[in-house]
Amino acid sequence: MVNTHPEVEADERAHRVRRLWPLISGLASLGLVIALGALIVLRDKGMPLGIDERWMAVLADCRNPVWQSLSLMMNFLGAGIVASFIVPGVIIIALLLIKRPWAALYFTIATLLTGGSVQLLKHLFARTRPDTILVTVDFGSFPSGHVGNAAVMALVLAILFPRVWVWIAGTIYTVLMMLSRTYLGAHWLTDTVGALLLGVGIAIVVAAPLAAKIDGERRIHKGKRGGPENNAAGTSAGVGTGA
């Protein structure tokens, strides 16, 4: 019979993650965001870096209706009510329906922290956006809120559902969001890189204290879904390894 307490069912590696992972990965990513933002501000008061200008020149040579339509679709998915309420709401409700409350809590905290951090950094660095913007935007260019939200959502779901296709889908979605923000002239390339680091860093840092609960909950859910045979295997994997 599977023990129904998530932390007991969790693999020992999940317990180690709780202690070590944020110090060596998540906090490093967040530190890089601050460092990149400081570099941008200290260098010509937020003016674009050389790589920003070169990337914009490349995009100017690639203008076509297909890329513009795709970019506008990504803009719709990553902004307003859709990004702030509908998509997160659907994910949270789905996690609760499959009885993954710790996963739902993790997703909620990571998403809220990312949104709040993006706004804080926008006002802290106050970087000017590119001159030619094809969509309506708010204040501040660094970091990109669209990309930050995409990155944290992609990584959180990949941690909750460790499947190759989830990682691939999340990566494609995040990269498309990065490309679309620069294509539409809403952000410089370094704005999207900073947002990527921010989303990844927050997803990892928030996961650390919840790692054992998230892993144990996933194992319990998998065992219940798989029936008696998988339950026995789940018990062996969770408890037999000293979790």
Side-chain angles (χ1 to χ4, degrees):
M1 180 178 179
V2 178
N3 193 308
T4 57
H5 194 286
E7 290 204 46
V8 175
E9 283 299 307
D11 187 90
E12 178 59 26
R13 289 173 297 179
H15 289 279
R16 290 198 297 269
V17 163
R18 180 174 56 183
R19 296 189 293 268
L20 300 176
W21 192 245
L23 298 178
I24 60 177
S25 298
L27 294 180
S29 295
L30 295 178
L32 288 173
V33 176
I34 301 298
L36 179 58
L39 172 65
I40 291 170
V41 170
L42 293 175
R43 182 188 179 280
D44 296 331
K45 298 181 180 180
M47 294 299 291
L49 304 182
I51 190 172
D52 291 322
E53 295 178 327
R54 288 192 293 273
W55 180 247
M56 281 298 184
V58 169
L59 292 179
D61 294 333
C62 299
R63 301 289 183 186
N64 64 73
V66 174
W67 276 112
Q68 181 159 330
S69 296
L70 178 59
S71 296
L72 290 173
M73 181 185 72
M74 298 302 293
N75 178 69
F76 173 77
L77 291 175
I81 295 176
V82 174
S84 300
F85 299 102
I86 296 179
V87 173
V90 168
I91 293 174
I92 292 169
I93 291 172
L95 291 171
L96 292 174
L97 287 176
I98 63 173
K99 302 190 185 325
R100 299 281 300 272
W102 285 107
L105 179 63
Y106 169 40
F107 180 87
T108 301
I109 294 174
T111 301
L112 290 175
L113 278 179
T114 301
S117 298
V118 165
Q119 293 305 314
L120 176 64
L121 293 176
K122 280 177 178 288
H123 286 81
L124 176 63
F125 295 117
R127 189 185 197 187
T128 303
R129 292 180 184 268
D131 293 331
T132 54
I133 305 175
L134 302 181
V135 291
T136 302
V137 293
D138 60 5
F139 170 80
S141 188
F142 181 91
S144 166
H146 284 64
V147 175
N149 291 333
V152 75
M153 180 176 67
L155 186 53
V156 166
L157 291 178
I159 290 173
L160 295 178
F161 303 97
R163 300 287 185 272
V164 173
W165 71 267
V166 178
W167 282 93
I168 293 175
T171 299
I172 292 174
Y173 180 75
T174 304
V175 170
L176 284 177
M177 191 65 76
M178 295 175 72
L179 293 173
S180 71
R181 299 316 288 160
T182 53
Y183 184 90
L184 293 173
H187 289 282
W188 302 106
L189 178 62
T190 46
D191 297 333
T192 65
V193 173
L196 174 65
L197 291 171
L198 179 67
V200 168
I202 289 177
I204 294 174
V205 169
V206 176
L210 300 175
K213 293 181 177 65
I214 292 171
D215 183 69
E217 184 179 70
R218 179 179 62 82
R219 289 170 178 272
I220 291 171
H221 177 73
K222 183 178 179 181
K224 288 181 178 179
R225 186 180 59 184
E229 292 184 2
N230 281 349
N231 285 351
T235 302
S236 175
V239 180
T241 55

